[in-house]
């Protein structure tokens, strides 16, 4: 199964693992000690993060050390940026509209229906 960075960050446990190892590399046991889930469950999360390219496992003697590789998060940043640009433009237009001297007429759906009924009768 092909995995991507969006799948990796979709889970709160994986996000917390990333947050922990972003500050300093940890061995698998040190990561597992911070969670109330089983070691095999942590291993599955680590495997997904590895498959997505967000962490690398380095063998140091008998220990396996998790290191963060956060460059892949740029994909998420680029995806979010397109929506930031979109919504910034929309909110700027709304601000301009609301700042005009003349307030826009407020029409209610109910009053429009009443007007249409009286015309049809």
């Amino acid at each position: 199964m092909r995995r991507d960075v969006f799948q990796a960050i979709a889970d709160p446990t994986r996000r917390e693992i990333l947050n922990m190892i972003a500050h300093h590399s940890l061995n698998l046991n040190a990561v597992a000690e911070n969670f109330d889930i089983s070691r095999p469950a942590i291993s599955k999360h680590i495997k997904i993060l590895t498959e997505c390219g967000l962490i690398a496992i380095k063998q140091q003697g008998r220990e396996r050390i998790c290191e963060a590789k956060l460059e892949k998060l740029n994909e998420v940043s680029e995806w979010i940026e397109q929506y930031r640009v979109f919504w910034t433009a929309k909110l700027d237009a709304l601000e301009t509209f609301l700042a005009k001297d003349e307030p826009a007429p407020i029409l209610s759906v109910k009053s429009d229906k009443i007007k249409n009924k009286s015309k049809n009768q």
Side-chain angles (χ1 to χ4, degrees), residues 68-107:
K69 302 292 182 192
L70 302 178
E71 299 82 22
K72 294 283 281 182
L73 289 176
N74 287 333
E75 291 178 32
V76 177
S77 179
E78 291 167 5
W79 183 79
I80 290 172
E81 181 63 18
Q82 67 184 336
Y83 294 101
R84 189 193 64 76
V85 169
F86 172 81
W87 282 110
T88 299
K90 294 291 185 187
L91 292 172
D92 287 347
L94 177 61
E95 181 180 34
T96 301
F97 176 77
L98 294 174
K100 290 182 181 176
D101 291 337
E102 295 181 7
I106 300 174
L107 299 175

Side-chain angles (χ1 to χ4, degrees), residues 32-111:
E33 289 172 359
N34 289 286
F35 296 93
D36 291 331
I37 59 176
S38 68
R39 171 70 196 272
I42 291 295
S43 292
K44 286 182 183 180
H45 286 298
I46 297 289
K47 180 180 178 185
I48 291 169
L49 290 168
T50 303
E51 289 172 357
C52 295
L54 289 171
I55 67 169
I57 305 293
K58 305 282 184 182
Q59 192 76 33
Q60 289 184 353
R62 293 184 348 200
E63 291 188 337
R64 296 176 65 206
I65 307 296
C66 301
E67 294 180 353
K69 302 292 182 192
L70 302 178
E71 299 82 22
K72 294 283 281 182
L73 289 176
N74 287 333
E75 291 178 32
V76 177
S77 179
E78 291 167 5
W79 183 79
I80 290 172
E81 181 63 18
Q82 67 184 336
Y83 294 101
R84 189 193 64 76
V85 169
F86 172 81
W87 282 110
T88 299
K90 294 291 185 187
L91 292 172
D92 287 347
L94 177 61
E95 181 180 34
T96 301
F97 176 77
L98 294 174
K100 290 182 181 176
D101 291 337
E102 295 181 7
I106 300 174
L107 299 175
S108 72
V109 174
K110 191 174 184 179
S111 66

